């Protein structure tokens, strides 16, 4: 798990996650393509394309249908809007990105990461930044000043969740620090996309080191497992496709989200024509890999009594009557067969009937590329906390499952799906 922990540590934002994924692909011989250029694809060639700096699609050009695994690169956090001065201190002004558990961000080391756009001799260029060696903090109000805090508390994000950056009243310190770290003049920074992220390092915990405690497990743990499965799979007669999208936490309705044309555009260009694309998609399969709620040992009543996954129980297969997940009877049978052959345990997840759940990538991506598939995930606790928890064994099971998946092909024989 050392490599996973390092990946989680370095991937503080979606921009950094995609950079790290691209580095793993290049190390395995993958070549970057650009959407603005013509693609001359070699048979058996290995390629990837990045959109928006925060979404990536990689593939091996093997012909046949597409075996696609999709996950997401973003996690709930705070976006930085600027700075302000109060009580002799410099604060950072923020707004929430996604739905985080607010109180978990208090009184812990935080840092600033993201990207800035800088002037160059020929235009502008976006570069990632991470001031991880410098920390900020969102201090809580002392219990003496808020006696009812342990009876339940809500926090106003505009006034109570602003990080303390420094003692002093001089504004602009963050921008100056970023300019110095990049070796550019402050005036050359045109724009900023900076986020407040947890600076805590991922660790193994539990008496037997059987658990992972880390920021951003949702969904970087699935993204990592997808990469490992993609790179480790045997060659089949299908084209394996790895897709990692940004903006899932805010609905995916962006140029690089799962609701964008990124996946469609890539598959169409691989296919070369409308007819070939339609034929190949008809023999394709999508695995949407995004984490799932494990039964909480302190609050088991919050889960469905009969269909709640547990930590260490294996890969989760998600179901929803209202199609928030794309799993149906046929796709479940296909994926279950692949996992059974690989010796991977599966467990089912349904929302408790009176607690509606969220949606994820599968149904959203299907609005652009319609194909059978399943929604799966790793069982985890504390989803959308600043620090989340999952089981080592489940990550290993997910890697095994996706390695097996990427090494298979599915074909339509009349109305029957054949797994090869």
């Amino acid at each position: 798990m050392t490599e996973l922990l390092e990946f989680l540590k370095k991937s503080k934002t979606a921009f950094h996650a995609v950079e790290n994924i691209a580095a793993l692909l290049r190390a395995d011989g993958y070549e970057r393509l650009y959407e603005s250029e013509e693609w001359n694809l070699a048979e058996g060639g290995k390629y990837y394309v990045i959109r928006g700096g925060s979404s990536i699609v990689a593939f091996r050009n093997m012909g046949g249908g597409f075996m696609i695994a999709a996950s997401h690169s973003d996690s709930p956090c705070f976006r930085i809007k600027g700075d302000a001065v109060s009580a002799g201190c410099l604060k950072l002004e923020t707004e929430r990105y996604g739905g985080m558990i607010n109180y978990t961000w208090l009184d812990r080391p935080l840092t600033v990461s993201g990207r800035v756009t800088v002037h160059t001799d020929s235009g502008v260029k976006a570069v990632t930044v991470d001031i991880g060696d410098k920390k900020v903090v969102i201090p809580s109000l002392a219990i003496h000043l808020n006696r009812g805090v342990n009876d339940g508390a809500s926090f106003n994000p505009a006034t109570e969740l602003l990080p303390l950056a420094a003692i002093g009243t001089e504004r602009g310190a963050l921008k100056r620090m970023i300019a110095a770290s990049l070796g550019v003049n402050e005036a050359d920074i045109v724009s900023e996309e900076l986020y407040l992220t947890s600076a805590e390092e991922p660790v193994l915990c539990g008496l037997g080191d059987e658990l992972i405690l880390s920021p951003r497990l949702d969904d970087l743990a699935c993204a990592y497992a997808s990469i490992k499965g993609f790179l480790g799979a045997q060659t089949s007669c299908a084209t394996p496709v790895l897709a990692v999208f940004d903006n899932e936490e805010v609905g995916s309705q962006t140029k690089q989200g799962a609701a964008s044309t990124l996946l469609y555009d890539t598959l169409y260009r691989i296919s070369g024509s409308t007819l070939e694309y339609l034929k190949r998609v008809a023999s394709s399969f999508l695995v949407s890999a995004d984490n799932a709620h494990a039964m909480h040992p302190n609050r088991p009543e919050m889960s469905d009594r009969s269909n709640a996954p547990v930590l260490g129980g294996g890969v989760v297969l998600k179901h929803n009557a209202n199609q928030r997940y794309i799993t149906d009877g046929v796709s479940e049978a296909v994926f279950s067969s692949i996992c059974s052959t690989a010796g991977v345990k599966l467990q089912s997840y349904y929302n408790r009937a009176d607690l509606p759940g969220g949606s994820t990538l599968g149904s959203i991506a299907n609005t652009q590329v319609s194909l059978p598939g399943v929604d799966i995930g790793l069982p985890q606790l504390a989803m959308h906390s600043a620090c989340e928890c999952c089981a080592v064994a489940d990550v290993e099971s997910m890697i095994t499952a996706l390695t097996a998946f990427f090494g298979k092909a599915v074909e339509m024989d009349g109305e029957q799906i054949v797994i090869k």
Side-chain angles (χ1 to χ4, degrees):
M1 289 292 107
T2 302
E3 188 179 65
L4 169 59
L5 299 184
E6 186 65 20
F7 178 76
L8 291 166
K9 175 183 175 181
K10 295 192 302 182
S11 301
K12 288 191 174 73
T13 70
F15 305 117
H16 293 86
V18 165
E19 276 192 347
N20 295 327
I21 292 168
L24 292 171
L25 292 167
R26 287 194 301 272
D28 202 67
Y30 282 75
E31 173 188 347
R32 181 170 180 178
L33 302 171
Y34 294 87
E35 292 188 274
S36 59
E37 299 175 356
E38 185 177 353
W39 292 4
N40 296 306
L41 305 179
E43 183 177 348
K46 304 193 294 187
Y47 306 98
Y48 70 94
V49 60
I50 294 174
R51 181 181 288 184
S54 55
S55 294
I56 186 168
V57 177
F59 61 94
R60 289 194 294 278
N61 188 31
M62 304 305 300
F66 302 107
M67 299 295 280
I68 308 164
S71 53
H72 66 88
S73 56
D74 61 324
S75 301
C77 60
F78 293 86
R79 178 161 177 174
I80 296 171
K81 300 188 293 184
D83 57 19
V85 173
S86 176
C89 295
L90 182 68
K91 303 186 301 182
L92 299 179
E93 297 278 358
T94 62
E95 62 179 334
R96 289 177 294 180
Y97 174 89
M100 73 276 290
I101 304 175
N102 289 340
Y103 71 83
T104 65
W105 288 78
L106 299 173
D107 305 319
R108 65 173 67 224
L110 307 172
T111 189
V112 176
S113 305
R115 71 176 180 179
V116 298
T117 305
V118 298
H119 276 299
T120 68
D121 292 339
S122 56
V124 295
K125 180 180 180 181
V127 293
T128 54
V129 295
D130 178 8
I131 63 163
D133 58 330
K134 301 294 182 182
K135 310 296 188 295
V136 299
V137 63
I138 303 175
S140 58
L141 189 64
I143 193 171
H144 313 82
L145 305 178
N146 185 10
R147 294 289 183 179
V149 66
N150 290 325
D151 300 324
S154 61
F155 300 92
N156 186 325
T159 59
E160 298 177 275
L161 296 177
L162 304 180
L164 170 62
I167 296 176
T169 59
E170 185 180 3
R171 300 180 62 182
L174 178 59
K175 188 172 184 178
R176 287 191 293 275
M177 182 179 296
I178 289 171
S181 71
L182 296 175
V184 301
N185 295 322
E186 186 179 344
D188 288 334
I189 296 179
V190 183
S191 60
E192 306 162 24
E193 295 173 85
L194 301 176
Y195 295 87
L196 193 67
T197 60
S198 175
E200 292 182 294
E201 295 196 1
V203 295
L204 297 179
C205 63
L207 299 182
D209 285 343
E210 68 270 40
L211 298 172
I212 301 171
L213 183 66
S214 173
R216 302 176 291 278
L217 284 175
D218 173 23
D219 187 35
L220 293 185
C222 279
Y224 173 81
S226 299
I227 301 159
K228 297 296 289 185
F230 179 76
L231 295 178
Q234 294 182 343
T235 299
S236 76
C237 57
T239 292
V241 179
L242 170 74
V244 183
F245 297 107
D246 192 8
N247 305 130
E248 190 276 342
E249 298 294 358
V250 292
S252 298
Q253 304 287 328
T254 62
K255 68 181 183 303
Q256 63 271 348
S260 75
T261 61
L262 175 57
L263 183 59
Y264 169 82
D265 292 344
T266 303
L267 301 185
Y268 187 91
R269 294 183 74 166
I270 295 170
S271 302
S273 71
T274 299
L275 178 58
E276 186 66 15
Y277 166 79
L278 294 173
K279 288 165 56 179
R280 293 178 71 170
V281 166
S283 291
S284 298
F285 198 91
L286 170 66
V287 168
S288 166
D290 193 2
N291 285 358
H293 302 293
M295 179 178 285
H296 199 293
N298 295 336
R299 298 296 304 275
E301 75 279 5
M302 302 306 294
S303 299
D304 184 274
R305 287 173 292 183
S306 303
N307 297 282
V310 297
L311 295 177
V315 174
V316 177
L317 191 58
K318 303 179 187 180
H319 307 265
N320 183 259
N322 293 311
Q323 298 299 296
R324 305 303 289 272
Y325 306 129
I326 59 172
T327 309
D328 62 23
V330 175
S331 63
E332 177 182 0
V334 171
F335 189 72
S336 296
S337 176
I338 293 172
C339 287
S340 176
T341 301
V344 174
K345 294 186 296 182
L346 285 177
Q347 41 185 347
S348 291
Y349 174 81
Y350 287 83
N351 294 312
R352 208 177 80 169
D354 57 347
L355 290 175
S359 61
T360 186
L361 297 162
S363 295
I364 295 172
N366 244 339
T367 63
Q368 295 292 334
V369 180
S370 300
L371 69 175
V374 291
D375 270 296
I376 65 171
L378 292 166
Q380 75 161 84
L381 299 175
M383 186 178 290
H384 289 200
S385 170
C387 215
E388 302 167 321
C389 182
C390 72
V392 171
D394 294 328
V395 176
E396 293 171 341
S397 293
M398 181 67 82
I399 293 172
T400 301
L402 292 176
T403 302
F405 169 77
F406 278 124
K408 296 292 186 180
V410 297
E411 293 184 0
M412 294 300 299
D413 182 9
E415 295 186 0
Q416 177 173 270
I417 297 179
V418 179
I419 305 170
K420 295 185 176 181

